[in-house]
C-alpha cells in the first residue's frame, strides 16, 4: 500500500530543537513509538530511556555534534529525530540519524521536515556524512531517505527478529555531503 504524501502544515506542526524541559515528554513519546511499530530496534520495554536519561542527553557537554529535533502539535510532542556524531577521530566526519513519528501523524510530511532540517544543520557543521539503518519493511522511510539522496550501502541479512517470528534485513544507508 502506498501512502499519499501530504504537504507539511507549519500552522499545525512546530519543529524545534529539543530542550531540557522536553525530557519527560521525550521519554513518554519514545515508549509510545516502540509500542506502535516494529520499525525500531527495540521490542516495547527494552532499552527504555527515562526522563533522567533524556535530561542527561539534553544537558550533556559532549564534544561530538548531537542534535535532537522535536515536532510539537497542540502542546504535545508527536515526533523527534536525533543526529549524533562519533567521538573517534576516524569517524568524526559522520553522524548517525534516527527518527520516530507517532503513527497517527504518518503521511503529514513530518519525517521530511525533520530530515530536511537535519541535513541543513549537518551542512553547516564539520560533518561530511549521515548514516542510518532501517528495516527493509519500512518502505515509506526508505523512499524518504532516497528522495533526500541517501543510498543503500549494505544490508545485514536476517538481522531483526520481529513479533511474527520472522527475520528481516536491516538496510544500511548513507548520504555523502562531501
Amino acid at each position: 500500500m502506498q501512502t499519499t504524501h501530504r504537504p507539511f502544515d507549519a500552522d499545525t506542526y512546530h519543529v524545534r530543537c529539543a530542550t531540557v524541559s522536553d525530557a519527560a515528554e521525550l521519554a513518554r513519546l519514545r515508549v509510545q513509538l516502540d509500542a506502535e511499530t516494529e520499525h525500531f530496534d527495540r521490542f516495547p520495554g527494552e532499552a527504555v530511556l527515562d526522563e533522567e536519561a533524556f535530561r542527561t542527553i539534553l544537558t550533556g557537554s559532549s564534544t561530538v555534534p548531537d542534535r535532537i529535533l522535536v515536532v510539537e502539535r497542540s502542546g504535545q510532542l508527536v515526533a523527534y529525530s536525533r543526529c549524533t556524531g562519533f567521538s573517534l577521530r576516524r569517524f568524526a566526519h559522520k553522524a548517525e540519524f534516527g527518527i520516530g513519528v507517532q503513527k497517527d501523524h504518518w503521511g503529514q510530511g513530518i519525517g521530511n521536515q525533520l530530515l530536511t532540517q537535519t541535513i541543513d544543520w549537518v551542512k553547516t557543521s564539520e560533518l561530511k556524512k549521515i548514516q542510518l539503518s532501517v528495516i527493509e519493511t519500512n518502505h515509506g522511510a526508505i523512499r524518504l531517505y532516497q528522495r533526500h539522496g541517501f543510498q543503500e550501502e549494505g544490508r545485514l541479512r536476517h538481522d531483526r527478529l520481529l513479533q511474527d517470528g520472522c527475520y528481516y534485513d536491516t538496510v544500511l544507508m548513507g548520504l555523502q555531503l562531501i
Side-chain angles (χ1 to χ4, degrees), residues 141-164:
I142 291 170
R143 282 191 305 273
L144 171 67
Y145 301 138
Q146 288 171 334
R147 280 196 311 269
H148 281 272
F150 282 78
Q151 295 180 357
E152 183 174 326
E153 296 184 333
R155 279 182 178 255
L156 302 174
R157 303 283 179 206
H158 301 109
D159 188 49
R160 299 182 191 205
L161 172 65
L162 297 188
Q163 291 178 346
D164 64 4

Side-chain angles (χ1 to χ4, degrees), residues 77-95:
L77 299 186
V78 298
Y80 77 99
S81 67
R82 185 173 183 195
C83 190
T84 306
F86 290 85
S87 61
L88 299 175
R89 289 186 314 200
R90 291 186 197 270
F91 302 114
H93 66 285
K94 64 183 183 173

Side-chain angles (χ1 to χ4, degrees), residues 70-146:
V70 293
V71 179
E72 191 172 15
R73 180 177 186 199
S74 303
Q76 268 201 314
L77 299 186
V78 298
Y80 77 99
S81 67
R82 185 173 183 195
C83 190
T84 306
F86 290 85
S87 61
L88 299 175
R89 289 186 314 200
R90 291 186 197 270
F91 302 114
H93 66 285
K94 64 183 183 173
E96 287 188 312
F97 177 75
I99 191 169
V101 179
Q102 282 180 348
K103 203 170 192 174
D104 289 349
H105 301 277
W106 288 2
Q108 302 294 315
I110 293 170
N112 185 61
Q113 282 297 312
L114 289 169
L115 189 51
T116 297
Q117 289 190 30
T118 296
I119 291 169
D120 289 345
W121 171 72
V122 167
K123 286 178 179 176
T124 66
S125 74
E126 299 292 316
L127 296 169
K128 305 296 181 212
K129 179 179 181 178
I130 305 171
Q131 65 186 34
L132 57 89
S133 63
V134 58
I135 190 164
E136 68 178 315
T137 57
N138 193 348
H139 304 292
I142 291 170
R143 282 191 305 273
L144 171 67
Y145 301 138
Q146 288 171 334

